[in-house]
Amino acid sequence: VWWQRSAYFRGTPEGQDTLSSAATRLADIVLARIPKLHKSLKLSLDPRVAVLAQDPPPTALSVFTDGSAKPNPGPAGSGVFARLPFPGFAEGVVLRLASSLGHGSNNIGEMHAMVVALELCLWAATSPSPPPAALVFSDSLHCVSFLTAGWAFPEDPELAWRARRAYTRLADLHRRGRMEFGLYWIRGHSGIPGNEEADTAAGLGAEGSMDPPGPLTAHAPVSWATADRSGMQLPVCELASVLGGLHAEMVRRGFSW
């Protein structure tokens, strides 16, 4: 139908203007459906963002993401470093997640890490005892702008759709006052500990995508999760299994989720 209408418009004297106007109207409709930015959901060069990333509030769920490809494109991986607040753990529970993605670009690794981070926040937000705030930090201008400013992400539409869906739900929870949520861009390799942890995890993921696997994978598992001072080691295959195992372990230790 769109092709037929376009062909008709091109045959009329005012066709070019009509087609252009129709395209503009469609673009306006699409842009109107992109979630409006809240003051905390923004791309910012404010130095306070770097300070926040350096030392996130201990009561908040803080998540750092990164992607890697060696070379780019090439064997790709994603990395996520998260700290979850838990009673009985002064410094919270730490998750280090690395994923080997096979052949891909750095942007694919970045977006995959973003999906994991956002779905982790969404899972926490809908748990019986959600944290008061969830903060996501990414050094990918492309990923953050895709979610907050309507940039395109044509490399993997399905992956982008998953990120958009989770982000939209979190933004809605934020607007309804269910949980504070912030998505922030930070500079990579600027000495922020969480970003450096995510970068290391992403590198491990990329190493695991090599054939044969790279040397780093001989010294650490490609995917892993640990809890500070708990002695707990959880195998990571899927995000759901990690969270399910973490939940079961916390319940076993007498902590409410």
Side-chain angles (χ1 to χ4, degrees):
V1 174
W2 175 252
W3 179 86
Q4 290 176 331
R5 290 179 178 177
S6 298
Y8 169 77
F9 286 144
R10 291 193 186 96
T12 62
E14 67 281 5
Q16 189 61 45
D17 290 338
T18 305
L19 184 59
S20 176
S21 298
T24 300
R25 286 196 301 274
L26 285 174
D28 289 341
I29 292 172
V30 171
L31 290 173
R33 293 181 179 178
I34 296 175
K36 300 298 182 182
L37 299 187
H38 184 274
K39 62 182 179 180
S40 70
L41 309 178
K42 63 182 180 180
L43 177 65
S44 175
L45 296 177
D46 191 326
R48 289 175 295 183
V49 172
V51 174
L52 179 65
Q54 284 277 1
D55 187 22
T59 58
L61 165 59
S62 55
V63 192
F64 294 82
T65 70
D66 208 350
S68 178
K70 303 178 179 182
N72 186 22
S78 70
V80 172
F81 175 79
R83 190 178 296 276
L84 297 81
F86 264 110
F89 290 84
E91 297 181 8
V93 171
V94 168
L95 294 178
R96 296 178 177 89
L97 308 175
S99 297
S100 298
L101 307 177
H103 185 86
S105 68
N106 181 73
N107 282 336
I108 292 293
E110 295 278 7
M111 187 61 78
H112 185 274
M114 180 64 72
V115 168
V116 172
L118 294 176
E119 291 186 353
L120 172 61
C121 291
L122 189 61
W123 174 82
T126 55
S127 67
S129 301
L135 310 175
V136 177
F137 301 93
S138 171
D139 62 6
S140 171
L141 179 63
H142 195 167
C143 288
V144 174
S145 295
F146 165 76
L147 293 169
T148 64
W151 284 23
F153 193 84
E155 291 185 65
D156 191 330
E158 182 178 355
L159 193 63
W161 174 80
R162 286 183 61 185
R164 172 79 71 195
R165 179 182 62 176
Y167 171 80
T168 300
R169 291 177 179 177
L170 286 164
D172 181 61
L173 290 172
H174 177 94
R175 282 190 292 268
R176 290 191 285 136
R178 294 280 301 277
M179 185 182 74
E180 289 291 319
F181 171 64
L183 173 61
Y184 302 97
W185 175 79
I186 56 176
R187 295 187 184 278
H189 306 290
S190 57
I192 296 174
N195 176 254
E196 299 299 328
E197 291 272 9
D199 177 72
T200 298
L204 283 170
E207 293 275 2
S209 292
M210 295 179 179
D211 186 18
L216 286 180
T217 58
H219 304 287
V222 173
S223 297
W224 76 99
T226 62
D228 283 353
R229 299 190 311 280
S230 71
M232 177 170 50
Q233 295 287 336
L234 299 174
V236 178
C237 298
E238 297 288 343
L239 179 61
S241 68
V242 177
L243 299 177
L246 180 61
H247 180 205
E249 180 67 14
M250 292 297 103
V251 170
R252 187 183 70 79
R253 292 173 182 235
F255 298 126
S256 61
W257 186 258

